[in-house]
Amino acid sequence: MRAPHNPFPGAGQQDEDPVPPVADPTTGEIRLLEDRCTTCVLNPAASAAPLRPGRRQQFIREVRDGGGQIVCHSTVSPVVPDDFPAAMCRGFVDAYGLPQAAREAIELGVGHIVEVPDPTRTGASAHGGLQQ
């Protein structure tokens, strides 16, 4: 018999993956940035984070093939303090939908989406925490 899919992989374990979690298994919150950040790697504008030619497409293909999501770079260190909760990239979710694990958690009733503000717009910084 196959073990059920865990919508919160790595919960409670020491994970070697450097990708910060976007879900809280205790509360069921699955954090999603409420708006696309101005430097989103999926933003076609000149303000998008610079990537070498072809890297954006390669990165997106790898993430989608693995069933994952992109963590918004505006919600991780060094932009914000290490203990600031990470969130899924709004640009990625708008373009490709929620990842399978998030959809499963919602369907099972153990997860729910919580839209969070861009910490770079609300005043969170690695030097001062969240200022509202």
Side-chain angles (χ1 to χ4, degrees):
M1 181 173 193
R2 211 174 106 189
H5 176 72
N6 179 1
F8 297 104
Q13 301 171 9
Q14 201 57 333
D15 196 352
E16 291 181 7
D17 189 352
V19 177
V22 297
D24 182 336
T26 304
T27 64
E29 290 183 348
I30 304 168
R31 293 177 298 277
L32 171 63
L33 210 63
E34 65 185 1
D35 294 306
R36 186 183 295 202
C37 72
T38 57
T39 57
C40 181
V41 296
L42 288 136
N43 187 351
S47 63
L51 297 174
R52 66 176 163 72
R55 178 61 181 136
R56 179 176 295 115
Q57 291 79 10
Q58 175 191 4
F59 180 56
I60 291 169
R61 185 173 49 256
E62 289 170 1
V63 170
R64 294 189 70 209
D65 288 351
Q69 85 281 331
I70 295 176
V71 176
C72 176
H73 64 276
S74 291
T75 66
V76 295
S77 176
V79 177
V80 294
D82 286 336
D83 60 349
F84 196 88
M88 285 187 285
C89 169
R90 171 57 79 165
F92 181 82
V93 171
D94 285 352
Y96 303 105
L98 290 171
Q100 181 69 28
R103 290 193 314 266
E104 288 178 8
I106 293 165
E107 289 171 10
L108 291 170
V110 297
H112 59 279
I113 297 295
V114 175
E115 292 186 332
V116 297
D118 181 341
T120 63
R121 291 184 185 157
T122 57
S125 74
H127 304 289
L130 185 59
Q131 313 284 318
Q132 299 243 17

